[in-house]
C-alpha cells in the first residue's frame, strides 16, 4: 500500500498548492499501536503525515457535513458510498468534494487479531499483510493466518471495495477476500434462535449500553441537526440508559439510516461496550435491498429511498 500512500501524498499536495481544495481529510498514524486517526489539514506541509494501511478504519465522510469549503477526502469503497448518499440527500455538493479513492483490500479488526494470538494488542509486536495472509509477531514468534480470519465482518461481505465515484483513483482496483457466510455468521446465528431467547439476548446486550452516542456520532448516515434523543417536547427517550430506552434508540436510529447505511461497520466498531450493532444495521440494509431493490450510495443520480415515492407504490394513501 506504500505506492497508494505516496500517490495520495503527491495528489493531496497538488490539490492544496493549486488551490483546488481548502482542506484535505485523510488518515495519519495514531498514538496507539496499529491505529490511525483522522487528519484534517489545510497545510501542504502536513501531507507527508498522510498514511494508507490496513488500519484506516474511520469513515471520513462523516466530517463532510461539518466542514465549510472545498474538501479533498480519502475514501475507501464504503466511504465513497456514504459520500454519494450524502450527495443524494443534498447534504454535500458534488462540486465541493474531490474524492481521493482508495482501492481497499479490507481492514484488519484488532479484536480478531487479539483473539487469534491470545494476547492484548499492546503485546503484539507487528501485524503485516502479505496478499491473502496476515503475519502477526508476538514474543519474537511470527504466525501466519488467512487474512479472512482478521478482517472486519463487513469487509468480508464488501460490495464495493474500489470506489466507483471518485476524482482521483490512487491505485489499481482491489480484490478483497470475500467470505459472505463468515460476514453474516453472527446475524444468521441470531436469526436462528427463537423470538423469546432472541428478545432476552437483545435486552441483555442493550442493558450494557451507556448511551454514549458513539454509534450515532461516527455514522455519516446520522446527520439530523437535532437528534430525536435530545428532544424534550415530546421526550422520546428517558436520558437514563435503561435497556428499554436503549432499545428504542437503536430501533429508531436504524429506521432513520434505512436506505442510507452502507454497511461501513463504524457504529459497531465505535461502541465501547461491544454491542453487536451490525446485527441490526446489516439486517436493515438487507431488508431495504430485498423490499426496495435499493443499495445506498451506488448511484448519485438516484433519489434517496426514504424521501420519494413512486406511482406504483402499494399504499393508496400516498398516491
Ligand atoms: S467494507 Fe469494503 S471498502 Fe469498506 S473498509 Fe471494508 S473492504 Fe474496504
Ligand atoms: S456506542 Fe454502544 S454504548 Fe454508546 S450509545 Fe451506541 S450502543 Fe450505546
Ligand atoms: S449505521 Fe453503522 S454501518 Fe451503517 S452507515 Fe452508519 S456507521 Fe456505517
Amino acid at each position: 500500500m506504500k505506492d497508494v500512500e505516496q500517490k495520495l501524498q503527491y495528489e493531496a499536495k497538488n490539490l492544496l498548492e493549486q488551490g483546488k481544495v481548502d482542506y484535505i481529510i485523510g488518515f495519519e498514524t495514531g498514538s496507539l499501536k496499529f491505529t490511525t486517526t483522522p487528519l484534517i489539514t489545510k497545510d501542504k506541509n502536513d501531507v507527508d503525515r498522510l498514511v494508507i494501511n490496513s488500519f484506516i478504519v474511520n469513515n471520513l465522510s462523516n466530517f463532510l457535513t461539518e466542514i465549510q469549503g472545498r474538501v479533498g477526502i480519502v475514501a475507501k469503497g464504503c466511504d465513497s458510498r456514504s459520500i454519494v448518499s450524502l450527495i443524494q440527500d443534498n447534504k454535500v455538493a458534488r462540486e465541493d468534494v474531490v474524492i481521493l479513492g482508495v482501492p481497499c483490500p479490507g481492514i484488519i479488526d484488532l479484536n480478531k487479531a487479539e483473539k487469534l494470538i491470545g494476547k492484548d494488542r499492546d503485546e503484539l509486536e507487528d501485524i503485516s499483510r502479505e496478499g491473502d495472509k496476515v503475519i502477526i509477531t508476538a514474543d519474537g514468534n511470527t504466525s501466519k493466518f488467512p487474512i479472512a480470519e482478521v478482517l472486519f465482518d463487513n469487509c468480508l461481505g464488501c460490495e464495493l471495495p474500489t470506489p466507483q465515484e471518485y476524482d482521483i483513483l490512487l491505485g489499481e482496483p482491489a480484490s478483497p477476500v470475500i467470505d459472505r457466510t463468515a460476514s453474516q455468521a453472527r446475524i444468521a446465528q441470531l436469526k436462528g434462535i427463537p423470538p423469546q431467547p432472541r428478545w432476552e439476548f437483545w435486552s441483555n446486550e442493550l442493558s450494557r449500553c451507556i448511551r454514549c452516542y458513539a454509534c450515532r456520532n461516527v455514522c455519516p448516515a446520522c446527520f439530523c441537526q437535532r437528534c430525536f434523543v435530545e428532544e424534550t417536547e415530546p421526550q422520546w427517550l428517558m436520558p437514563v440508559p435503561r435497556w428499554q430506552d436503549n432499545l428504542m434508540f437503536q430501533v429508531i436510529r436504524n429506521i432513520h439510516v434505512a436506505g442510507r447505511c452502507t454497511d461501513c461497520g463504524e457504529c459497531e466498531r465505535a461502541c465501547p461496550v461491544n454491542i453487536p450493532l451490525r446485527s441490526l444495521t446489516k439486517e436493515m440494509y438487507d431488508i431495504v435491498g430485498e423490499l426496495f431493490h435499493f443499495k445506498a450510495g451506488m448511484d448519485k443520480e438516484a433519489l434517496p429511498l426514504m424521501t420519494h415515492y413512486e406511482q406504483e407504490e402499494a399504499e393508496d394513501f400516498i398516491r
Side-chain angles (χ1 to χ4, degrees):
M1 282 187 161
K2 270 286 158 217
D3 48 341
V4 176
E5 185 176 287
Q6 280 166 1
K7 185 158 167 44
L8 166 63
Q9 293 175 355
Y10 171 81
E11 298 288 357
K13 193 169 195 174
N14 275 349
L15 288 170
L16 286 170
E17 275 178 351
Q18 293 168 13
K20 290 185 176 163
V21 299
D22 302 305
Y23 292 93
I24 291 288
I25 309 179
F27 299 91
E28 66 176 324
T29 304
S31 55
L32 300 174
K33 261 183 183 179
F34 315 121
T35 64
T36 60
T37 192
L39 171 68
I40 302 176
T41 184
K42 46 188 348 185
D43 183 348
K44 68 177 171 32
N45 297 315
D46 283 344
V47 300
D48 293 344
R49 286 159 54 193
L50 289 166
V51 295
I52 299 290
N53 57 36
S54 297
F55 306 104
I56 51 170
V57 283
N58 307 72
N59 184 338
L60 300 175
S61 68
N62 197 27
F63 292 107
L64 287 177
T65 49
E66 308 286 332
I67 294 179
Q68 303 290 322
R70 293 203 82 215
V71 173
I73 183 168
V74 175
K76 309 182 292 290
C78 53
D79 313 337
S80 76
R81 290 180 63 186
S82 296
I83 297 171
V84 169
S85 186
L86 288 166
I87 293 168
Q88 288 175 303
D89 276 314
N90 288 328
K91 289 287 162 192
V92 169
R94 180 67 184 90
E95 60 274 18
D96 286 344
V97 187
V98 176
I99 301 174
L100 296 151
V102 178
C104 178
I107 302 299
I108 292 178
D109 180 345
L110 287 174
N111 291 331
K112 290 188 181 178
E114 283 178 332
K115 267 192 205 146
L116 269 181
I117 298 292
K119 286 188 182 296
D120 189 81
R121 61 195 67 183
D122 290 336
E123 300 171 280
L124 305 180
E125 284 147 28
D126 190 37
I127 304 176
S128 60
R129 182 172 176 163
E130 253 183 42
D132 61 357
K133 296 273 185 288
V134 63
I135 299 157
I136 306 179
T137 309
D139 299 331
N141 302 315
T142 58
S143 315
K144 226 181 227 194
F145 303 94
I147 189 73
E149 292 189 24
V150 294
L151 294 183
F152 278 99
D153 285 356
N154 61 310
C155 294
L156 292 172
C158 182
E159 294 180 64
L160 193 76
T162 303
Q164 63 182 12
E165 182 72 23
Y166 61 83
D167 298 285
I168 299 166
L169 192 60
L170 299 169
E172 294 299 313
S175 329
V177 175
I178 298 295
D179 184 340
R180 295 203 195 281
T181 308
S183 172
Q184 293 287 114
R186 190 158 47 169
I187 301 168
Q189 184 205 351
L190 270 175
K191 284 168 85 172
I193 59 178
Q196 187 56 34
R198 201 191 309 167
W199 178 254
E200 281 159 22
F201 171 86
W202 280 113
S203 62
N204 284 335
E205 287 296 314
L206 290 163
S207 64
R208 298 191 294 111
C209 169
I210 53 173
R211 207 88 70 70
C212 65
Y213 299 127
C215 51
R216 176 196 68 178
N217 295 350
V218 294
C219 176
C222 267
F223 52 63
C224 292
Q225 278 187 333
R226 188 174 170 85
C227 179
F228 72 94
V229 298
E230 279 136 22
E231 291 288 350
T232 48
E233 288 182 9
Q235 183 165 40
W236 297 92
L237 298 182
M238 294 293 286
V240 181
R242 299 185 319 153
W243 77 264
Q244 296 91 334
D245 292 272
N246 301 340
L247 173 69
M248 282 309 294
F249 167 52
Q250 288 302 337
V251 167
I252 297 176
R253 197 182 92 77
N254 269 271
I255 293 170
H256 283 191
V257 300
R260 298 188 171 103
C261 170
T262 57
D263 192 28
C264 72
E266 274 294 88
C267 46
E268 177 168 300
R269 185 193 63 80
C271 178
V273 292
N274 297 322
I275 297 173
L277 296 173
R278 182 172 177 264
S279 301
L280 301 173
T281 58
K282 181 58 167 53
E283 185 62 10
M284 180 61 92
Y285 177 102
D286 288 341
I287 290 169
V288 164
E290 205 175 298
L291 292 183
F292 301 101
H293 312 291
F294 188 91
K295 287 186 191 294
M298 288 297 200
D299 175 7
K300 68 174 185 293
E301 306 303 334
L303 291 166
L305 177 72
M306 299 303 259
T307 54
H308 82 285
Y309 70 93
E310 290 171 0
Q311 289 295 320
E312 310 79 51
E313 297 279 9
E315 302 292 348
D316 288 338
F317 75 95
I318 55 174
R319 286 198 186 143

